[in-house]
Amino acid sequence: SQKIEQNSEALNIQEGKTATLTCNYTNYSPAYLQWYRQDPGRGPVFLLLIRENEKEKRKERLKVTFDTTLKQSLFHITASQPADSATYLCALGSSYKLIFGSGTRLLVRP
Amino acid sequence: DAGITQSPRHKVTETGTPVTLRCHQTENHRYMYWYRQDPGHGLRLIHYSYGVKDTDKGEVSDGYSVSRSKTEDFLLTLESATSSQTSVYFCAMRLAGDTDTQYFGPGTRLTVL
């Protein structure tokens, strides 16, 4: 069955550093991959989408890469800020539905 | 959370009682979804709808039913709530376009005692 894995351990980094989150998937060939941010007590919010024919996508301080051979996406936040502290979810699309990873919690220390 | 609301936001109920959660959107989107979110499991799809009176099961549909009589409203019903259905429930709508990007509601925290 399709499976998406994200590091369940929280990522704890110093302000100003680059945060890198990983999303791995199996038994799937997605046309695109999405990243969402979720703050405590709130619903996920869409951040970025990258298609299978794109290697990299950027939006302000965010960068996403997509390696369909490795079946992996990396999500980078450069010059991280305490306000970036949240849980980040990756998701794969399939027939008008999304399959979500369980998310990785990011904590940025001031 | 403009465009999609959920009610109630919090609910405590007892085992065996019926519970209905409501999702309301003002954007006229065709696709709507119900998820539950539990620690260690992430978001799991319960049911989804692709139009008025058109619904289908998701990954964890047992014990849940849905109805969509109007485009703007998508109801999730627990016919006889169990403690295993204690969770946070999110409704979402699929945005227009050729991808499956979704916009989520604020969530409903349900506790079944």
Side-chain angles (χ1 to χ4, degrees), chain A residues 32 36 38 43 51 96 98, chain B residues 33 37 90 98 100-102:
Chain A
Y32 48 82
Y36 288 75
Q38 186 174 22
R51 298 180 184 272
Y96 302 103
L98 286 177
Chain B
Y33 307 83
Q37 188 172 39
F90 288 101
D98 64 345
D100 295 308
T101 302
Q102 294 182 11

Side-chain angles (χ1 to χ4, degrees), chain B:
Chain B
D1 301 320
I4 187 167
T5 57
Q6 293 184 232
S7 59
R9 294 293 314 279
H10 301 271
K11 186 171 182 67
V12 180
T13 191
E14 293 188 351
T15 298
T17 60
V19 176
T20 295
L21 308 183
R22 179 179 184 241
C23 179
H24 178 78
Q25 59 139 327
T26 58
E27 310 293 323
N28 202 36
H29 289 296
R30 180 180 170 194
Y31 285 82
M32 297 182 74
Y33 307 83
W34 276 108
Y35 295 89
R36 61 177 290 173
Q37 188 172 39
D38 306 287
H41 289 281
L43 281 163
R44 293 182 291 175
L45 182 65
I46 305 172
H47 282 280
Y48 67 102
S49 170
Y50 47 95
V52 173
K53 297 187 177 166
D54 291 323
T55 65
D56 205 350
K57 297 179 180 180
E59 177 189 3
V60 289
S61 59
D62 287 348
Y64 302 94
S65 63
V66 290
S67 65
R68 193 162 178 207
S69 58
K70 299 184 290 185
T71 299
E72 58 266 35
D73 289 323
F74 191 31
L75 304 180
L76 176 70
T77 298
L78 292 65
E79 301 290 347
S80 178
T82 67
S83 58
S84 65
Q85 293 175 312
T86 292
S87 186
V88 180
Y89 291 86
F90 288 101
C91 175
M93 57 188 180
R94 179 180 179 270
L95 304 183
D98 64 345
T99 67
D100 295 308
T101 302
Q102 294 182 11
Y103 188 84
F104 284 79
T108 294
R109 182 173 293 276
L110 176 67
T111 302
V112 183
L113 302 175

Side-chain angles (χ1 to χ4, degrees), chain A residues 16-59:
Chain A
K17 301 293 186 183
T18 296
T20 299
L21 308 177
T22 304
C23 175
N24 295 296
Y25 60 92
T26 56
N27 298 324
Y28 198 67
S29 297
Y32 48 82
L33 183 145
Q34 304 184 29
W35 283 89
Y36 288 75
R37 169 182 171 142
Q38 186 174 22
D39 292 289
R42 306 193 66 133
V45 175
F46 171 74
L47 294 175
L48 277 173
L49 177 148
I50 185 166
R51 298 180 184 272
E52 61 177 340
N53 61 349
E54 298 175 316
K55 294 295 184 185
E56 183 179 296
K57 197 80 167 282
R58 291 176 185 263
K59 179 182 178 182

